Amino acid sequence: FLRAAVPAHKDGPVWAVAASPDGKRVATGGRDHAVKVWDVSKPRPTLVATLTGHEDSVRGLAFAPDGGRLYSVGRDDGTLRAWDVGTDKPKAAGATAVGGRLVGVAVAPDGKTVATSGSDGAALRPITESGVGAAVPLDSDNKPVLTVAFAPDGGSVLGVVGLSETEDRVLVWAADGKRLHEFKFGMHVHAAGFVPDGRHVVVVTESQTLVVRLPR
């Protein structure tokens, strides 16, 4: 059943959504270039903050494991932004030029690494006290990476790679950027992620949902 409805953004659809680890806050990103943070701990969601700085649609959002920081990426502005959201007055905490069209972002379970994905591929960056460090590219044969997600133990990361107009693939990389596994499906892949046991991935294709066991 529907518990509550969060209003859409000013100029149209919501493109990205993320929930804080404690479930009390939800962040949304839209075509209006804004990130909105909502308190959903009560029956009626209330707007905590509207965060601005992106110059294009917000296409990816991810909370840090402790819930104190939120990361966002803008599609055409090529920027990864960090926001301090652990207080009643969220604020900007830095921005990093990544380049290309960005569509995905994820934070490692230990909170020490952030991954981004987009038209120029995918990369890992260490999270530091002053921001984020230098990128470690993930080998995708110079193909766009449509989504990115960390394994439960943080030791690897997967992404959906846009191979051609008719086919996507799922790749799994080690933390140093080297490719570990490649899964071919001969069709488009709409979503993929790790199962909590870390030994399987779920892949949603155009025609079916698959659970794939990772090779040892």
PDB file of all heavy atoms in Angstrom, residues 161-184:
ATOM      1  N   VAL A 161      27.248  -2.262 -18.878  1.00  0.00           N
ATOM      2  CA  VAL A 161      27.995  -1.596 -19.940  1.00  0.00           C
ATOM      3  C   VAL A 161      27.156  -1.554 -21.206  1.00  0.00           C
ATOM      4  O   VAL A 161      26.630  -2.584 -21.650  1.00  0.00           O
ATOM      5  CB  VAL A 161      29.325  -2.328 -20.214  1.00  0.00           C
ATOM      6  CG1 VAL A 161      30.064  -1.681 -21.381  1.00  0.00           C
ATOM      7  CG2 VAL A 161      30.202  -2.308 -18.962  1.00  0.00           C
ATOM      8  N   GLY A 162      27.008  -0.361 -21.787  1.00  0.00           N
ATOM      9  CA  GLY A 162      26.271  -0.219 -23.029  1.00  0.00           C
ATOM     10  C   GLY A 162      27.144  -0.623 -24.204  1.00  0.00           C
ATOM     11  O   GLY A 162      27.924   0.179 -24.722  1.00  0.00           O
ATOM     12  N   LEU A 163      27.026  -1.868 -24.622  1.00  0.00           N
ATOM     13  CA  LEU A 163      27.918  -2.403 -25.650  1.00  0.00           C
ATOM     14  C   LEU A 163      27.546  -1.905 -27.049  1.00  0.00           C
ATOM     15  O   LEU A 163      28.417  -1.512 -27.829  1.00  0.00           O
ATOM     16  CB  LEU A 163      27.886  -3.931 -25.622  1.00  0.00           C
ATOM     17  CG  LEU A 163      28.886  -4.630 -26.542  1.00  0.00           C
ATOM     18  CD1 LEU A 163      30.304  -4.417 -26.054  1.00  0.00           C
ATOM     19  CD2 LEU A 163      28.566  -6.121 -26.637  1.00  0.00           C
ATOM     20  N   SER A 164      26.257  -1.930 -27.400  1.00  0.00           N
ATOM     21  CA  SER A 164      25.822  -1.524 -28.729  1.00  0.00           C
ATOM     22  C   SER A 164      24.361  -1.094 -28.663  1.00  0.00           C
ATOM     23  O   SER A 164      23.765  -1.033 -27.583  1.00  0.00           O
ATOM     24  CB  SER A 164      25.975  -2.693 -29.716  1.00  0.00           C
ATOM     25  OG  SER A 164      25.044  -3.725 -29.410  1.00  0.00           O
ATOM     26  N   GLU A 165      23.768  -0.827 -29.822  1.00  0.00           N
ATOM     27  CA  GLU A 165      22.376  -0.406 -29.859  1.00  0.00           C
ATOM     28  C   GLU A 165      21.423  -1.538 -29.496  1.00  0.00           C
ATOM     29  O   GLU A 165      20.241  -1.302 -29.223  1.00  0.00           O
ATOM     30  CB  GLU A 165      22.028   0.126 -31.251  1.00  0.00           C
ATOM     31  CG  GLU A 165      22.730   1.439 -31.589  1.00  0.00           C
ATOM     32  CD  GLU A 165      22.300   1.981 -32.935  1.00  0.00           C
ATOM     33  OE1 GLU A 165      21.493   1.303 -33.608  1.00  0.00           O
ATOM     34  OE2 GLU A 165      22.755   3.077 -33.299  1.00  0.00           O
ATOM     35  N   THR A 166      21.916  -2.775 -29.512  1.00  0.00           N
ATOM     36  CA  THR A 166      21.046  -3.922 -29.243  1.00  0.00           C
ATOM     37  C   THR A 166      21.487  -4.776 -28.058  1.00  0.00           C
ATOM     38  O   THR A 166      20.777  -5.697 -27.673  1.00  0.00           O
ATOM     39  CB  THR A 166      20.966  -4.833 -30.484  1.00  0.00           C
ATOM     40  OG1 THR A 166      22.288  -5.283 -30.814  1.00  0.00           O
ATOM     41  CG2 THR A 166      20.376  -4.084 -31.663  1.00  0.00           C
ATOM     42  N   GLU A 167      22.645  -4.476 -27.469  1.00  0.00           N
ATOM     43  CA  GLU A 167      23.163  -5.355 -26.425  1.00  0.00           C
ATOM     44  C   GLU A 167      23.905  -4.592 -25.334  1.00  0.00           C
ATOM     45  O   GLU A 167      24.702  -3.693 -25.622  1.00  0.00           O
ATOM     46  CB  GLU A 167      24.112  -6.394 -27.033  1.00  0.00           C
ATOM     47  CG  GLU A 167      24.685  -7.373 -26.012  1.00  0.00           C
ATOM     48  CD  GLU A 167      25.686  -8.352 -26.611  1.00  0.00           C
ATOM     49  OE1 GLU A 167      25.903  -8.298 -27.843  1.00  0.00           O
ATOM     50  OE2 GLU A 167      26.249  -9.156 -25.861  1.00  0.00           O
ATOM     51  N   ASP A 168      23.640  -4.962 -24.097  1.00  0.00           N
ATOM     52  CA  ASP A 168      24.403  -4.503 -22.935  1.00  0.00           C
ATOM     53  C   ASP A 168      25.060  -5.714 -22.285  1.00  0.00           C
ATOM     54  O   ASP A 168      24.656  -6.857 -22.510  1.00  0.00           O
ATOM     55  CB  ASP A 168      23.480  -3.828 -21.907  1.00  0.00           C
ATOM     56  CG  ASP A 168      22.749  -2.633 -22.476  1.00  0.00           C
ATOM     57  OD1 ASP A 168      23.309  -1.962 -23.361  1.00  0.00           O
ATOM     58  OD2 ASP A 168      21.613  -2.382 -22.037  1.00  0.00           O
ATOM     59  N   ARG A 169      26.070  -5.468 -21.458  1.00  0.00           N
ATOM     60  CA  ARG A 169      26.722  -6.534 -20.715  1.00  0.00           C
ATOM     61  C   ARG A 169      26.916  -6.107 -19.269  1.00  0.00           C
ATOM     62  O   ARG A 169      26.899  -4.923 -18.959  1.00  0.00           O
ATOM     63  CB  ARG A 169      28.071  -6.901 -21.349  1.00  0.00           C
ATOM     64  CG  ARG A 169      27.911  -7.539 -22.724  1.00  0.00           C
ATOM     65  CD  ARG A 169      29.227  -7.974 -23.322  1.00  0.00           C
ATOM     66  NE  ARG A 169      29.008  -8.566 -24.640  1.00  0.00           N
ATOM     67  CZ  ARG A 169      29.979  -8.983 -25.439  1.00  0.00           C
ATOM     68  NH1 ARG A 169      31.239  -8.893 -25.062  1.00  0.00           N
ATOM     69  NH2 ARG A 169      29.694  -9.507 -26.627  1.00  0.00           N
ATOM     70  N   VAL A 170      27.109  -7.075 -18.395  1.00  0.00           N
ATOM     71  CA  VAL A 170      27.392  -6.806 -16.993  1.00  0.00           C
ATOM     72  C   VAL A 170      28.837  -7.179 -16.718  1.00  0.00           C
ATOM     73  O   VAL A 170      29.253  -8.309 -16.993  1.00  0.00           O
ATOM     74  CB  VAL A 170      26.447  -7.599 -16.068  1.00  0.00           C
ATOM     75  CG1 VAL A 170      26.842  -7.397 -14.609  1.00  0.00           C
ATOM     76  CG2 VAL A 170      24.997  -7.160 -16.286  1.00  0.00           C
ATOM     77  N   LEU A 171      29.599  -6.232 -16.196  1.00  0.00           N
ATOM     78  CA  LEU A 171      30.994  -6.469 -15.841  1.00  0.00           C
ATOM     79  C   LEU A 171      31.158  -6.356 -14.335  1.00  0.00           C
ATOM     80  O   LEU A 171      30.470  -5.569 -13.682  1.00  0.00           O
ATOM     81  CB  LEU A 171      31.920  -5.465 -16.533  1.00  0.00           C
ATOM     82  CG  LEU A 171      31.950  -5.446 -18.063  1.00  0.00           C
ATOM     83  CD1 LEU A 171      33.011  -4.470 -18.549  1.00  0.00           C
ATOM     84  CD2 LEU A 171      32.206  -6.827 -18.624  1.00  0.00           C
ATOM     85  N   VAL A 172      32.094  -7.127 -13.805  1.00  0.00           N
ATOM     86  CA  VAL A 172      32.470  -7.045 -12.392  1.00  0.00           C
ATOM     87  C   VAL A 172      33.954  -6.749 -12.331  1.00  0.00           C
ATOM     88  O   VAL A 172      34.765  -7.421 -12.994  1.00  0.00           O
ATOM     89  CB  VAL A 172      32.153  -8.356 -11.644  1.00  0.00           C
ATOM     90  CG1 VAL A 172      32.580  -8.244 -10.183  1.00  0.00           C
ATOM     91  CG2 VAL A 172      30.658  -8.677 -11.730  1.00  0.00           C
ATOM     92  N   TRP A 173      34.323  -5.729 -11.541  1.00  0.00           N
ATOM     93  CA  TRP A 173      35.715  -5.318 -11.415  1.00  0.00           C
ATOM     94  C   TRP A 173      36.211  -5.474  -9.970  1.00  0.00           C
ATOM     95  O   TRP A 173      35.425  -5.403  -9.033  1.00  0.00           O
ATOM     96  CB  TRP A 173      35.876  -3.843 -11.785  1.00  0.00           C
ATOM     97  CG  TRP A 173      35.495  -3.462 -13.168  1.00  0.00           C
ATOM     98  CD1 TRP A 173      36.269  -3.515 -14.294  1.00  0.00           C
ATOM     99  CD2 TRP A 173      34.241  -2.898 -13.594  1.00  0.00           C
ATOM    100  NE1 TRP A 173      35.579  -3.037 -15.389  1.00  0.00           N
ATOM    101  CE2 TRP A 173      34.338  -2.657 -14.989  1.00  0.00           C
ATOM    102  CE3 TRP A 173      33.041  -2.593 -12.938  1.00  0.00           C
ATOM    103  CZ2 TRP A 173      33.284  -2.113 -15.727  1.00  0.00           C
ATOM    104  CZ3 TRP A 173      31.993  -2.064 -13.669  1.00  0.00           C
ATOM    105  CH2 TRP A 173      32.120  -1.826 -15.042  1.00  0.00           C
ATOM    106  N   ALA A 174      37.510  -5.633  -9.848  1.00  0.00           N
ATOM    107  CA  ALA A 174      38.160  -5.594  -8.541  1.00  0.00           C
ATOM    108  C   ALA A 174      38.343  -4.138  -8.125  1.00  0.00           C
ATOM    109  O   ALA A 174      38.158  -3.214  -8.925  1.00  0.00           O
ATOM    110  CB  ALA A 174      39.504  -6.306  -8.593  1.00  0.00           C
ATOM    111  N   ALA A 175      38.732  -3.928  -6.885  1.00  0.00           N
ATOM    112  CA  ALA A 175      38.892  -2.570  -6.365  1.00  0.00           C
ATOM    113  C   ALA A 175      40.015  -1.800  -7.047  1.00  0.00           C
ATOM    114  O   ALA A 175      40.062  -0.571  -6.964  1.00  0.00           O
ATOM    115  CB  ALA A 175      39.135  -2.613  -4.856  1.00  0.00           C
ATOM    116  N   ASP A 176      40.937  -2.509  -7.721  1.00  0.00           N
ATOM    117  CA  ASP A 176      42.021  -1.826  -8.428  1.00  0.00           C
ATOM    118  C   ASP A 176      41.658  -1.510  -9.872  1.00  0.00           C
ATOM    119  O   ASP A 176      42.483  -1.025 -10.640  1.00  0.00           O
ATOM    120  CB  ASP A 176      43.297  -2.659  -8.387  1.00  0.00           C
ATOM    121  CG  ASP A 176      43.144  -4.021  -9.074  1.00  0.00           C
ATOM    122  OD1 ASP A 176      42.062  -4.303  -9.619  1.00  0.00           O
ATOM    123  OD2 ASP A 176      44.120  -4.792  -9.048  1.00  0.00           O
ATOM    124  N   GLY A 177      40.411  -1.778 -10.269  1.00  0.00           N
ATOM    125  CA  GLY A 177      39.954  -1.446 -11.603  1.00  0.00           C
ATOM    126  C   GLY A 177      40.055  -2.559 -12.623  1.00  0.00           C
ATOM    127  O   GLY A 177      39.570  -2.422 -13.750  1.00  0.00           O
ATOM    128  N   LYS A 178      40.679  -3.683 -12.247  1.00  0.00           N
ATOM    129  CA  LYS A 178      40.832  -4.783 -13.198  1.00  0.00           C
ATOM    130  C   LYS A 178      39.528  -5.566 -13.335  1.00  0.00           C
ATOM    131  O   LYS A 178      38.805  -5.783 -12.369  1.00  0.00           O
ATOM    132  CB  LYS A 178      41.956  -5.715 -12.740  1.00  0.00           C
ATOM    133  CG  LYS A 178      43.341  -5.078 -12.800  1.00  0.00           C
ATOM    134  CD  LYS A 178      44.419  -6.059 -12.382  1.00  0.00           C
ATOM    135  CE  LYS A 178      45.801  -5.418 -12.457  1.00  0.00           C
ATOM    136  NZ  LYS A 178      46.865  -6.360 -12.020  1.00  0.00           N
ATOM    137  N   ARG A 179      39.275  -6.014 -14.555  1.00  0.00           N
ATOM    138  CA  ARG A 179      38.058  -6.750 -14.838  1.00  0.00           C
ATOM    139  C   ARG A 179      38.156  -8.174 -14.290  1.00  0.00           C
ATOM    140  O   ARG A 179      39.120  -8.892 -14.544  1.00  0.00           O
ATOM    141  CB  ARG A 179      37.803  -6.789 -16.338  1.00  0.00           C
ATOM    142  CG  ARG A 179      36.441  -7.326 -16.722  1.00  0.00           C
ATOM    143  CD  ARG A 179      36.285  -7.413 -18.227  1.00  0.00           C
ATOM    144  NE  ARG A 179      36.501  -6.116 -18.877  1.00  0.00           N
ATOM    145  CZ  ARG A 179      36.296  -5.920 -20.176  1.00  0.00           C
ATOM    146  NH1 ARG A 179      35.902  -6.925 -20.953  1.00  0.00           N
ATOM    147  NH2 ARG A 179      36.503  -4.729 -20.698  1.00  0.00           N
ATOM    148  N   LEU A 180      37.119  -8.594 -13.547  1.00  0.00           N
ATOM    149  CA  LEU A 180      37.084  -9.942 -12.993  1.00  0.00           C
ATOM    150  C   LEU A 180      36.172 -10.869 -13.796  1.00  0.00           C
ATOM    151  O   LEU A 180      36.522 -12.009 -14.079  1.00  0.00           O
ATOM    152  CB  LEU A 180      36.600  -9.899 -11.538  1.00  0.00           C
ATOM    153  CG  LEU A 180      37.474  -9.162 -10.534  1.00  0.00           C
ATOM    154  CD1 LEU A 180      36.779  -9.130  -9.177  1.00  0.00           C
ATOM    155  CD2 LEU A 180      38.842  -9.827 -10.421  1.00  0.00           C
ATOM    156  N   HIS A 181      34.957 -10.377 -14.130  1.00  0.00           N
ATOM    157  CA  HIS A 181      33.972 -11.221 -14.802  1.00  0.00           C
ATOM    158  C   HIS A 181      33.217 -10.397 -15.842  1.00  0.00           C
ATOM    159  O   HIS A 181      33.047  -9.182 -15.699  1.00  0.00           O
ATOM    160  CB  HIS A 181      32.952 -11.798 -13.804  1.00  0.00           C
ATOM    161  CG  HIS A 181      33.571 -12.426 -12.607  1.00  0.00           C
ATOM    162  ND1 HIS A 181      34.371 -13.546 -12.661  1.00  0.00           N
ATOM    163  CD2 HIS A 181      33.507 -12.077 -11.284  1.00  0.00           C
ATOM    164  CE1 HIS A 181      34.766 -13.869 -11.446  1.00  0.00           C
ATOM    165  NE2 HIS A 181      34.254 -12.994 -10.594  1.00  0.00           N
ATOM    166  N   GLU A 182      32.753 -11.074 -16.874  1.00  0.00           N
ATOM    167  CA  GLU A 182      31.917 -10.456 -17.897  1.00  0.00           C
ATOM    168  C   GLU A 182      30.770 -11.398 -18.236  1.00  0.00           C
ATOM    169  O   GLU A 182      30.986 -12.579 -18.503  1.00  0.00           O
ATOM    170  CB  GLU A 182      32.724 -10.158 -19.153  1.00  0.00           C
ATOM    171  CG  GLU A 182      31.906  -9.506 -20.257  1.00  0.00           C
ATOM    172  CD  GLU A 182      32.747  -9.145 -21.469  1.00  0.00           C
ATOM    173  OE1 GLU A 182      33.978  -9.395 -21.440  1.00  0.00           O
ATOM    174  OE2 GLU A 182      32.188  -8.614 -22.436  1.00  0.00           O
ATOM    175  N   PHE A 183      29.546 -10.857 -18.214  1.00  0.00           N
ATOM    176  CA  PHE A 183      28.359 -11.659 -18.505  1.00  0.00           C
ATOM    177  C   PHE A 183      27.657 -11.098 -19.737  1.00  0.00           C
ATOM    178  O   PHE A 183      27.333  -9.910 -19.793  1.00  0.00           O
ATOM    179  CB  PHE A 183      27.404 -11.660 -17.302  1.00  0.00           C
ATOM    180  CG  PHE A 183      28.033 -12.190 -16.043  1.00  0.00           C
ATOM    181  CD1 PHE A 183      28.432 -11.328 -15.029  1.00  0.00           C
ATOM    182  CD2 PHE A 183      28.253 -13.547 -15.883  1.00  0.00           C
ATOM    183  CE1 PHE A 183      29.015 -11.809 -13.870  1.00  0.00           C
ATOM    184  CE2 PHE A 183      28.842 -14.041 -14.729  1.00  0.00           C
ATOM    185  CZ  PHE A 183      29.223 -13.175 -13.719  1.00  0.00           C
ATOM    186  N   LYS A 184      27.420 -11.977 -20.714  1.00  0.00           N
ATOM    187  CA  LYS A 184      26.812 -11.588 -21.975  1.00  0.00           C
ATOM    188  C   LYS A 184      25.369 -12.096 -22.023  1.00  0.00           C
ATOM    189  O   LYS A 184      25.098 -13.243 -21.670  1.00  0.00           O
ATOM    190  CB  LYS A 184      27.607 -12.165 -23.144  1.00  0.00           C
ATOM    191  CG  LYS A 184      29.086 -11.785 -23.127  1.00  0.00           C
ATOM    192  CD  LYS A 184      29.842 -12.492 -24.240  1.00  0.00           C
ATOM    193  CE  LYS A 184      31.328 -12.170 -24.186  1.00  0.00           C
ATOM    194  NZ  LYS A 184      32.084 -12.882 -25.263  1.00  0.00           N
TER     195      LYS A 184
END
